Amino acid sequence: MDPALSAVRLTVREAIHTLSSCEDGGRVLSTLGSLRRYLSGAENPALPGEQEEFARVHFSALLRCLVGRLSPGWLGLLPDGQVEELWASFFLEGPADQAFLVLMESVEGAAGPSFRLMKVAQLLARFLSAGRMAAVMEGQCRQVTELASPLLQETLLAEVVGLPDRLGNRLQRENLDAFLPQNYFPLLGEEMMRALQAVVDSLRGGWDCSVSFLSQVLGKACVRGRQKEMLGVLVPRLTTLTQGSCLWQRVCWRLVERVPDRAVEALLTGLVEVAAGPEVLSRLLGNLVMKNKKAQFVVTRKLLFLQYQYSTPMLQSLLGYLATDSQRRPLLVQALKGLLETWGSCSAVRHAPLAQQCYISKAVLICLALLGEAELQDSRDELLTSLMAGVKSRLDSSLPVVRRLGMIVAEVASARLHPEGPPLKFQYEEDELSREMLALAAPRPAADSPLEASPVITPEAAETPGRGSVDGGVPQALPEGSGSDLDSDDELVPYDMSGDQELKRSKAPTYVRDCVEALTSSEDWERWEAALRALEALVIRNPAAAREVSVELAKVLLHLEEKTSVEGFEGLRQRALVAVVVTDPAPVAEYLTSQFYALNFSLRQRMDILDVLTLAAQELSRPGRRPKAPQCDPPGPAPPPGSAVAPAWRAVVEERIRNKTRRFSQGSARRGRDAGANQFSSVAGYFFFPLIQHFDRPLVTFDLLGEDQLVLGRLAHTLGALMYLAVNTTVAVTMGKALLEFVWTLRFHSDAYVRRGLLSAVSSVLLSVPAERLLADLPDELLETRSWLAGECQAPAAWARRVVGGWCSGHRGTGQRRGPRTVTSPPSVHEMVPGGGVGTQLLSSHFGEVLQEDPREGAPMWETVCLFWKILYLL
Amino acid sequence: MAASPLPPPDPRFVLRGTQSAVHALHFFGGAEGQGQPLLLSGSLSGLVHIWSLQTRRAVATLDGHRGQCVTWLHSLPQGHQLLSQGRDLKLCLWDLAEGRNAVVDSMRLESMGFCRSTVLARGQGHWMLAMPGRGSDEVQILEMPSKTSVCTLKPEADAKPGMPMCLELWQAESSPRPLLLAGYEDGSVALWDVSERKVCSRVACHTEPVMGFDFDSQKARGVSGSAEKALAVWSLDEQQALQVCKTHELTNPGIADVKIRPDRKILATAGWDHRVRVFHWRTMKPLAVLSFHSATVHCVAFAANGLLAAGSGDQRISIWSLYPISSDSSTPLSGHVEDTEVGAHALA
């Protein structure tokens, strides 16, 4: 062997010498040709031993020499790029890892863009497109026995994963498409698949292999945030391959297991996102969570509790993965315990963001659906304890969504944990979220259902259900009445039959006193209902008669209970009460406000009082009283948007009139608002001051500053609304003063709803009290409020500044901070409209209650802008 | 149908002046081309009013039931004769020709029930009468005008259908055998073969007593209303077996009377809920709900020209004109309105 070895060395040395000095094309060509003998797959190859020695010892040196010679003149020694072709073939056909390293080395060694750099880059692109990267990785996989040098592997790993960065840095603007990360990583994924294929093949052939290099590449790419590109290629392929083959499954599990710890989280999130359903996940991961602590932590803690941005299907497949294997199921029980504990923690309810609460609730529901009866029974007490705590603190919350979450989870969980007991049933409105949650709670079919729905799917699987449903589909029944005997009967057009209601036996009372009597003493429920329905109209029609019994009537209505199921009872009662208050404001308001702090009322009744007062104040302050349709929505925290729908016929009629009418006038046809005295002005005090006086005196049954914070929030909103409605009244200044004091005492309240109410109250003070009075009469309160707002509510203040600033600079050219103190004359509507749309939306969403309760329909926009001028100035 | 539905119709006109609840209505004369028919109404106070639909006034009043409610009115094919049944247990035959208004004959009813009688014309001057019989579940058949009792139709001992509530005699075109449809207290409708005195078929249509029905002999289909909240449509097949085709749910319970218009296009029901409901007869599609009355509607009647009359406990008779009859398709139902020569002049 010795002489042969030296022969190779001699040849190579000689060749390198020739190549580095010779300028004769023919000699270069023949030298290179002679060296090609040592590459595997050449014609008349050298002995295997020589080839091996060449590859192991001399190849890198030769490649470095070749790169070093690279210049336009050298390549031009022979025509038709023969030299270049031959030159490239060494890189493309020789041992891939060395070629790759040399190429990367020379790329990094280049000082800046140059001919050589471009050539090398192009060669590297060819190298990639020729699939040599697979060869690089394959090489590393095979070296299990030869104890591959860790240093080399480390370098190689860094080069493989860092290739896009390095080339991007070097080539700057001349970068090639192949090196862009969005192209490179999918390619790397493909190459990795090929390498894996080779691994599987050689395992089948009985040769040992190791996938740890591949795992490292995968992990590193994932850490760099390239999960989508890599896994988008790998997962669908692996999904299909692992379906039939145990070997592939084992390789795949091994691949995931060998990923370094720091990359586990990145890899797992990527996998859970891409994999279609728990079955697939289980096939790809195996029992990884049991073997790897880090993986277990990621799956059972991090993805469930902290990373709440993931989608529901992802959550489903994650938990489904835990449920698919009996070894992993204890983890699922443990996860459910943990989830319920978090769910039940009072402080989490108060401080966790809503999205996270939703996410955890969903996870709880999914867990419950996945777990079996026996598993749940084992830890029933523990689960029930956390559940009850959570339900309690959720039902206490003043946010409707949180309450509803509590109700849904409580219903589902109690049905699962306590199947023998009577079912728990809450009344809540169905919406998208609740439907989604309830769907999650339904146990899923045994089949891998998300697989069918997902886009990553094998063609056969996609075809089968489709065909099945076409074949097995039941033909739709023909609509009835489309029989063959068409005769002229069809011309009988039905009349409107909407008036065909159930017959009510008793007649409605005709006098207010009759109503009172019917409501208090009647055992005849039809009469009772008829009285309730008739009351509002009667009170409005006959105010004098209503005034005689107003307080008595208010008392009756306030204490009225829904004894029979009357449709729209709440609305009827509320409207009747509002009508009574409007008819006789002072005494009734006095009565209602005194009852608000009375002993024996439910929270519901107290909140009704607040609603009624607000609606009545709104009614009173409306110019041109008596709306066509009475308000029926309570001024709750979230009135449904777009509930008022203009009747279609009116639009049609108006359109027709406009078409047929010619107007001889200049300017717009817009009519001014009807002017009228604000009737609220004289009675605002009766509404406002009794309410604000006693809030800090707790009763046995009613503690505003304690746990009845929902009512406190309502109270703050109501006071704000009353303040707003008292605009332009003399009492407004006093009211404003009192309200600012009220806000000041409560400004650090822990409930978000209360704080929101306070903000709305502040803004209505700013809106309603004239600016000069504001500054002259209540400077201290104003300063306090200002410091509070500036300190505690940075965000809204900054936001207000931004919005108003944008509006000013955009539309009025008065972007300076020190604007006029008040906007004395409203800018014309034309000026307001273009920028107004978004701004108004923002305003109304932030200071929602005030603006939504705005009684003067479509309040002039300049008022709101005015408000922000004030805030801006004051801050 | 994109357009909004027509607003509910109003009555063409209203007849007031009976001064008591109206319990029976009957259009008299006025087949096509013969001018306006007369309307007869029977009231709770025992009077029969004859209304001119032109002047919209009562032209005559017949008092023959001693202040007891008149439950049934029917004119005989001879035209100038009227049958009235009252709660004084008397069936009176009136001669109305040439302005007369005298009782020419009367006979005693044996039953205290609410069942209305029925007649079937049997050739010149002869007719058959079916009325509730002496036994509570019997129907008596008489040959008129001789008043000879033909037979008594008594249900089998184990059937126990209760009292007959409404009756209708008819005759299939193909055979001369008279048939009787009877609605019973237990909610069933039975078909009797009068000559063989046996029940051909019986079907339970309702769970409450049948209050009224009408039968379309051409289509062999009938509709019945009861105290419950549904109308039942039933049919008669070749083997003379009754079967329920469908039921139609109503908003409010209680149907006092059902009538199919002579042209068989629509039918009207008199409801206890004060409303008259109009349906498409072939499809039973609801067409209109006529709410005018303020008390129970007791009876409805169709004229040959398509007018609809409804009589109610609020002492008013409303006249409606809906879905006018196209002249080519009007073939009157047998037994409803007969060709007569009686017009307003006969009573003038």
Side-chain angles (χ1 to χ4, degrees), chain A residues 316-638:
Chain A
Q316 273 175 315
S317 57
L318 186 73
L319 291 167
Y321 160 72
L322 290 181
T324 35
D325 192 284
S326 58
Q327 285 185 31
R328 296 192 292 256
R329 284 187 83 93
L331 280 184
L332 187 63
V333 178
Q334 206 182 319
L336 175 61
K337 278 182 200 162
L339 281 169
L340 262 182
E341 198 175 314
T342 312
W343 192 83
S345 124
C346 178
S347 112
V349 174
R350 192 160 295 169
H351 298 117
L354 196 59
Q356 188 175 15
Q357 297 195 29
C358 277
Y359 187 80
I360 290 185
S361 307
K362 282 178 189 167
V364 168
L365 294 185
I366 297 170
C367 282
L368 284 171
L370 289 171
L371 282 173
E373 210 66 56
E375 286 157 309
L376 288 175
Q377 291 310 316
D378 286 346
S379 42
R380 187 166 99 170
D381 292 339
E382 195 180 333
L383 294 177
L384 272 181
T385 317
S386 343
L387 177 75
M388 286 309 154
V391 172
K392 182 182 172 299
S393 45
R394 274 198 170 63
L395 291 183
D396 279 348
S397 165
S398 45
L399 298 177
V401 188
V402 176
R403 283 202 297 269
R404 201 175 311 156
L405 274 183
M407 294 177 193
I408 295 172
V409 174
E411 273 183 14
V412 175
S414 67
R416 292 288 281 133
L417 295 174
H418 244 295
E420 68 275 11
L424 194 59
K425 188 76 196 138
F426 288 101
Q427 287 181 331
Y428 49 86
E429 279 168 31
E430 272 208 356
D431 65 348
E432 209 168 306
L433 180 70
S434 66
R435 274 191 291 273
E436 190 193 344
M437 306 264 299
L438 289 176
L440 289 181
R444 295 189 339 161
D448 194 4
S449 55
L451 187 68
E452 287 169 27
S454 73
V456 261
I457 189 166
T458 52
E460 311 89 271
E463 297 265 314
T464 325
R467 228 182 293 128
S469 72
V470 170
D471 295 342
V474 182
Q476 272 199 332
L478 289 166
E480 209 182 322
S482 67
S484 53
D485 57 334
L486 289 165
D487 58 31
S488 57
D489 290 353
D490 298 326
E491 77 212 26
L492 304 184
V493 181
Y495 289 93
D496 179 20
M497 281 172 285
S498 54
D500 189 18
Q501 305 288 327
E502 296 259 341
L503 191 66
K504 298 280 181 297
R505 197 150 308 138
S506 60
K507 273 168 67 176
T510 1
Y511 299 101
V512 176
R513 278 182 191 280
D514 285 354
C515 283
V516 177
E517 192 247 309
L519 289 177
T520 46
S521 58
S522 179
E523 288 297 315
D524 175 0
W525 297 117
E526 286 196 0
R527 178 143 179 266
W528 184 84
E529 187 184 337
L532 187 60
R533 287 190 192 283
L535 190 55
E536 189 200 5
L538 285 179
V539 170
I540 291 168
R541 209 183 310 140
N542 198 347
R547 247 172 244 136
E548 290 170 13
V549 289
S550 57
V551 175
E552 189 190 344
L553 193 54
K555 190 188 261 172
V556 169
L557 284 171
L558 189 59
H559 288 274
L560 208 59
E561 281 171 20
E562 189 178 9
K563 287 179 186 148
T564 54
S565 172
V566 175
E567 203 179 333
F569 170 80
E570 288 299 329
L572 286 171
R573 170 166 163 246
Q574 187 180 60
R575 287 205 297 272
L577 261 174
V578 170
V580 175
V581 180
V582 169
T583 315
D584 198 8
V588 181
E590 214 165 10
Y591 169 74
L592 287 180
T593 47
S594 70
Q595 294 308 297
F596 180 74
Y597 289 108
L599 208 54
N600 293 320
F601 280 99
S602 67
L603 295 190
R604 179 69 252 169
Q605 279 167 317
R606 292 182 210 273
M607 290 203 281
D608 283 344
I609 291 176
L610 293 178
D611 289 349
V612 165
L613 288 175
T614 315
L615 285 174
Q618 180 172 335
E619 191 83 32
L620 284 168
S621 67
R622 188 196 304 271
R625 286 250 314 277
R626 275 294 134 218
K628 291 123 297 200
Q631 299 278 318
C632 44
D633 293 327

Side-chain angles (χ1 to χ4, degrees), chain A residues 65-100:
Chain A
C65 164
L66 283 176
V67 170
R69 284 297 290 162
L70 201 59
S71 68
W74 192 73
L75 289 180
L77 286 179
L78 281 178
D80 305 335
Q82 285 178 40
V83 177
E84 189 177 356
E85 203 47 48
L86 206 55
W87 169 76
S89 71
F90 278 90
F91 290 92
L92 296 177
E93 288 163 27
D97 48 351
Q98 292 183 44
F100 180 68

